[in-house]
Amino acid sequence: MRKMTVAEAIREALRLEMKRDERVFIMGEDVGKFGGCFGVTQGLYEEFGPERVKDTPISETAIIGSAVGAAATGMRPVPEIMFCDFLTVPMDQLVNQAAKMRYMFGGKAKIPMTVRVPVGAGMSAAAQHSQCLEAWFIHVPGLKVVMPSTPADHAGLLISSIRDDNPVMFFEHKMLYGVEGEVPDEIEPIPLGKADIKREGEDVTVIATSMMVYKSLEAAKELEKDGISIEVVDPRTLFPLDKETIFESVKKTNRVVIVHEAVKRGGVGAEIAAQIADEMFDYLDAPIKRVAALNVPIPFSPPLEKYVVPDVKDIINAVKSIAR
Amino acid sequence: MKLKKEELLHFYRKMVEIRKFETKVVELFADGMIPGFVHSYIGEEAVAVGACSNLNDDDYITSTHRGHGHLIAKGGHMDKMMAELFGKETGYCKGKGGSMHIADVDLGILGANGIVGGGFPIAAGAGLSAKMRGTNQVAVCFFGDGASNQTTFHEGINLASIWDLPVVFVCENNMYGISLSQKEHQHIKDISDRATAYGIPGVTVDGNDVIAVYEAVKEAVKRARQGEGPTLIECKTYRHRGHFEGDPTVYRSEEEVEQWKKKDPIKRFRKKLLELGTVTEDELNSIDEEVDKMVEEAVEYAKKGKFPEPEKAVEDVYTDIVEEVRE
């Protein structure tokens, strides 16, 4: 094991895949010489050259659309969209082209592309540079959606995403880029559709994604002082979703809190809650609770932003509201 | 340019294939045999045939909602096309795509497209892929005058131009974006003028003259294969039918339609061939008869095919996941 930040782990996964497979290439705004808006692709331009670490114009539709065309014709592009919020621009190429081509063509096309997307609030970037829009994409059949938390998960899941023959949305929280964690010396792919239990517990299942995994683990320490033991389940991929692991945990605790940074209304939590209610009703001893951002755009001023996004205290309160 | 007799006959045959296929489709649609939407290519045959006659099997095209002509010109099989229009499992897409999504990836046909202007960045990407893989392939992006106002027009052509990608952007200016005339939807006459904005060659040709289209695209394909980047070619043409079958076409005059029918690309080319004396009327007539037979066979193939089993609807979303069936 070695220590790596999330950004380093992503970079290492990109390096490994680019070395392993010459069809893999990176494209996006300022990903080359500049090293990426958040420095994630630093050094890759020098190592692999401008042909495989391609600086694009500020032209998100061209980035995604050309990745679709390249993927359909034998390449394995890894385009980056600088901020999740900018996904609105190439939405047609993602939703109507990338996601549906295989199906519309009767299964005769493969679109192996991985779209890397920084998400999240926490740096006063305001309403157009802070969103978590992952829920939009689980609503689109044809796309896979990955949203990891730890450095090791980012690395292993990115490798699997790049090797996957389907379009994958890979959401990275920008406030996690500097967070350190243990990464195996030999990075192995982590299969999509496998949740990970980040902390075992007995009383309440807390299903958390991305940054909220860390906040839930903090909450777990506080709750322990009050004698409440929570199990923190990180789905890691939102589609395919590892229902089995989630359901096993629910069987054990009979109580569920779902935590994500995206706004609550229509969020991934609603889908997960519906699946639990549908299939695990008999195991539930309390209503399913969701902890998520308030249903407003992300504001600029630090106290406003902090108020809107869920924090440790919100998770603690939700757990306590349903704990035995 | 001196064209060989086989080439001239190929142009003629392909245009007739499109015309007769489309004429039959119009008829079958009216009879209720074809569900959904149909956008007829009748009148624009010279564009698809002139352009695709420059391409190899492994070259790429991106097509449009009005795509049947491009597919036939690129070598698509009429029987599988017709079966797809019927929604049969024997169709190109096993009944999952229909008229607006027919594709044959093995023939480089990256699909018709239901989104106006959807193909620009995809064609750029296919060109990028060819360039990165070091092949000699080119991609031709077909689009209409309406699509030239979409953001994808700008983003796709700009990307292709800065990276010198082997792409040829072929505009079928049929004078209308659905019901809106070109005069009402853009403040220019020649869409090829827009090439200036990307520092690439732009040419306008008579889109009802198959040889004019062929020669313009030939030059552009040559440039593309030599690594000199994209070209924008505007072909002025006209659709004889409405935007879609059932379109009352209240936005244009009968007189205008009749004027354009006089410039019918197939009639004109047939006349020209006979004047040149390189072919005989008998030769052309026998092509007509062969194509009639092909179309009849395609219809038979389509009729004979089965509808897909309903549960097949859940397949082909992903390469590796079939999530659920209805209980």
Side-chain angles (χ1 to χ4, degrees):
Chain A
M1 287 289 191
R2 49 186 163 157
K3 286 262 188 194
M4 268 188 175
T5 64
V6 165
E8 287 164 352
I10 293 167
R11 188 182 309 136
E12 183 62 11
L14 289 168
R15 263 192 74 237
L16 290 171
E17 285 308 288
M18 288 178 77
K19 280 177 83 166
R20 192 186 64 85
D21 184 345
E22 61 179 15
R23 297 170 300 174
V24 177
F25 70 100
I26 295 170
M27 65 195 304
E29 292 154 10
D30 310 303
V31 296
K33 272 174 281 185
F34 192 77
C37 182
F38 298 100
V40 174
T41 52
Q42 241 160 41
L44 297 177
Y45 179 90
E46 288 74 15
E47 186 171 350
F48 295 100
E51 287 305 312
R52 294 184 70 199
V53 184
K54 301 186 90 69
D55 277 319
T56 66
I58 302 169
S59 194
E60 286 85 7
T61 295
I63 295 170
I64 298 300
S66 64
V68 174
T73 56
M75 300 298 287
R76 304 186 84 86
V78 186
E80 177 183 311
I81 295 298
M82 190 187 277
F83 285 83
C84 179
D85 316 70
F86 306 168
L87 280 173
T88 50
V89 179
M91 206 60 170
D92 175 66
Q93 291 295 326
L94 284 168
V95 173
N96 284 322
Q97 314 294 344
K100 295 179 175 56
M101 259 170 122
R102 178 175 181 79
Y103 189 79
M104 294 189 300
F105 299 175
K108 279 182 231 115
K110 279 194 287 195
I111 313 293
M113 60 186 268
T114 301
V115 186
R116 289 188 40 247
V117 188
V119 301
M123 55 196 305
S124 277
Q128 298 172 340
H129 290 75
S130 301
Q131 293 170 87
C132 294
L133 299 174
E134 68 278 5
W136 290 2
F137 299 92
I138 65 164
H139 197 61
V140 180
L143 299 176
K144 295 186 179 180
V145 180
V146 181
M147 199 167 192
S149 58
T150 65
D153 286 353
H154 276 85
L157 287 163
L158 184 53
I159 289 176
S160 291
S161 300
I162 293 171
R163 293 183 192 177
D164 201 286
D165 279 336
N166 302 280
V168 178
M169 301 300 295
F170 194 91
F171 292 104
E172 307 161 1
H173 199 295
K174 48 189 174 277
M175 300 307 285
L176 288 179
Y177 282 137
V179 169
E180 262 192 347
E182 302 241 298
V183 174
D185 293 328
E186 294 282 321
I187 298 173
E188 290 292 330
I190 296 170
L192 307 189
K194 278 273 169 226
D196 188 43
I197 295 175
K198 296 297 186 201
R199 179 191 196 276
E200 293 200 5
E202 303 301 322
D203 301 324
V204 177
T205 296
V206 174
I207 301 161
T209 59
S210 186
M211 175 63 92
M212 292 301 137
V213 171
Y214 293 85
K215 304 245 178 194
S216 300
L217 291 171
E218 273 183 62
K221 281 187 209 153
E222 294 297 313
L223 286 160
E224 206 166 26
K225 292 176 195 159
D226 295 325
I228 300 169
S229 152
I230 65 170
E231 178 147 298
V232 179
V233 180
D234 178 358
R236 302 195 291 192
T237 60
L238 303 176
F239 186 83
L241 182 70
D242 181 0
K243 287 200 293 190
E244 225 171 274
T245 301
I246 292 170
F247 289 176
E248 279 308 308
S249 181
V250 174
K251 274 185 196 168
K252 182 165 76 172
T253 64
N254 314 113
R255 289 168 164 79
V256 182
V257 173
I258 305 167
V259 195
H260 56 63
E261 190 182 307
V263 293
K264 185 186 279 184
R265 188 165 68 223
V268 168
E271 172 63 24
I272 297 175
Q275 293 197 28
I276 295 170
D278 189 11
E279 296 185 50
M280 301 300 289
F281 186 73
D282 291 341
Y283 291 95
L284 289 173
D285 288 343
I288 300 167
K289 290 287 169 189
R290 286 179 291 158
V291 177
L294 302 179
N295 294 322
V296 297
I298 300 296
F300 164 68
S301 181
L304 297 177
E305 184 185 46
K306 199 167 172 303
Y307 179 74
V308 165
V309 172
D311 64 15
V312 177
K313 198 151 186 322
D314 297 317
I315 301 168
I316 291 171
N317 289 343
V319 168
K320 284 188 171 169
S321 77
I322 57 166
R324 238 179 297 251
Chain B
M1 186 184 317
K2 186 96 178 95
L3 286 156
K4 292 197 200 93
K5 182 175 169 181
E6 308 89 86
E7 288 173 302
L8 296 169
L9 284 178
H10 172 79
F11 294 166
Y12 181 77
R13 174 186 292 273
K14 280 289 158 191
M15 288 200 293
V16 170
E17 280 181 19
I18 296 169
R19 176 66 56 92
K20 288 187 183 286
F21 181 87
E22 290 292 73
T23 304
K24 183 52 92 177
V25 165
V26 166
E27 192 186 306
L28 291 165
F29 184 81
D31 289 348
M33 299 292 288
I34 295 174
F37 301 138
V38 162
H39 305 87
S40 166
Y41 198 70
I42 293 173
E44 304 184 13
E45 294 89 345
V47 181
V49 173
C52 290
S53 296
N54 288 291
L55 302 181
N56 303 323
D57 275 359
D58 67 349
D59 288 323
Y60 300 108
I61 65 165
T62 59
S63 174
T64 69
H65 56 285
R66 197 178 306 290
H68 305 164
H70 309 138
L71 268 71
I72 290 175
K74 186 67 173 59
H77 303 289
M78 236 184 231
D79 49 358
K80 286 193 202 169
M81 284 177 64
M82 192 64 91
E84 186 61 30
L85 297 186
F86 275 59
K88 298 295 181 72
E89 67 172 3
T90 47
Y92 257 122
C93 315
K94 302 191 273 189
K96 285 178 175 149
S99 170
M100 284 188 286
H101 306 298
I102 301 181
D104 187 340
V105 180
D106 295 334
L107 281 172
I109 300 166
L110 300 176
N113 206 315
I115 305 297
V116 169
F120 294 108
I122 297 174
L128 172 63
S129 159
K131 189 173 179 177
M132 290 186 79
R133 286 180 287 111
T135 71
N136 203 28
Q137 293 160 292
V138 299
V140 169
C141 171
F142 289 103
F143 64 100
D145 51 304
S148 72
N149 297 326
Q150 289 277 37
T151 57
T152 46
F153 173 90
H154 172 66
E155 295 202 30
I157 301 180
N158 185 59
L159 196 77
S161 72
I162 54 165
W163 290 346
D164 288 328
L165 300 179
V167 187
V168 182
F169 295 96
V170 176
C171 178
E172 296 169 332
N173 181 355
N174 64 18
M175 312 293 188
Y176 290 88
I178 309 183
S179 69
L180 213 59
S181 71
Q182 191 197 356
K183 237 186 285 176
E184 294 165 293
H185 75 59
Q186 52 194 192
H187 200 52
I188 50 170
K189 274 194 188 130
D190 293 333
I191 291 168
S192 62
D193 286 354
R194 292 190 173 170
T196 312
Y198 307 101
I200 62 169
V203 285
T204 292
V205 297
D206 178 349
N208 281 18
D209 178 350
V210 67
I211 293 177
V213 176
Y214 174 79
E215 289 182 348
V217 175
K218 190 180 186 73
E219 182 60 32
V221 165
K222 192 174 137 203
R223 263 177 54 79
R225 291 203 208 278
Q226 285 171 353
E228 291 167 38
T231 303
L232 173 58
I233 297 171
E234 177 193 20
C235 307
K236 305 259 198 210
T237 185
Y238 200 78
R239 51 171 155 79
H240 292 184
R241 310 284 305 171
H243 169 67
F244 56 97
E245 282 311 295
D247 176 357
T249 62
V250 290
Y251 47 83
R252 61 186 198 184
S253 68
E254 267 311 306
E255 202 185 359
E256 181 183 285
V257 178
E258 287 313 311
Q259 282 301 315
W260 275 95
K261 280 188 178 170
K262 283 183 194 151
K263 292 186 271 185
D264 184 311
I266 299 176
K267 276 190 202 150
R268 264 173 74 182
F269 189 57
R270 187 181 167 103
K271 192 158 166 267
K272 184 170 184 169
L273 286 179
L274 292 172
E275 278 168 8
L276 283 171
T278 40
V279 299
T280 65
E281 193 141 25
D282 282 351
E283 281 176 293
L284 299 179
N285 289 344
S286 74
I287 288 176
D288 291 354
E289 281 162 28
E290 281 166 38
V291 175
D292 278 332
K293 202 161 155 265
M294 266 178 90
V295 173
E296 278 317 315
E297 282 168 5
V299 173
E300 276 315 301
Y301 176 86
K303 283 184 175 164
K304 224 168 39 201
K306 290 195 185 111
F307 280 108
E309 292 298 323
E311 310 85 67
K312 295 279 180 196
V314 302
E315 295 177 6
D316 300 321
V317 184
Y318 297 92
T319 58
D320 54 352
I321 302 173
V322 175
E323 203 191 357
E324 56 193 344
V325 288
R326 194 175 294 284
E327 278 157 29

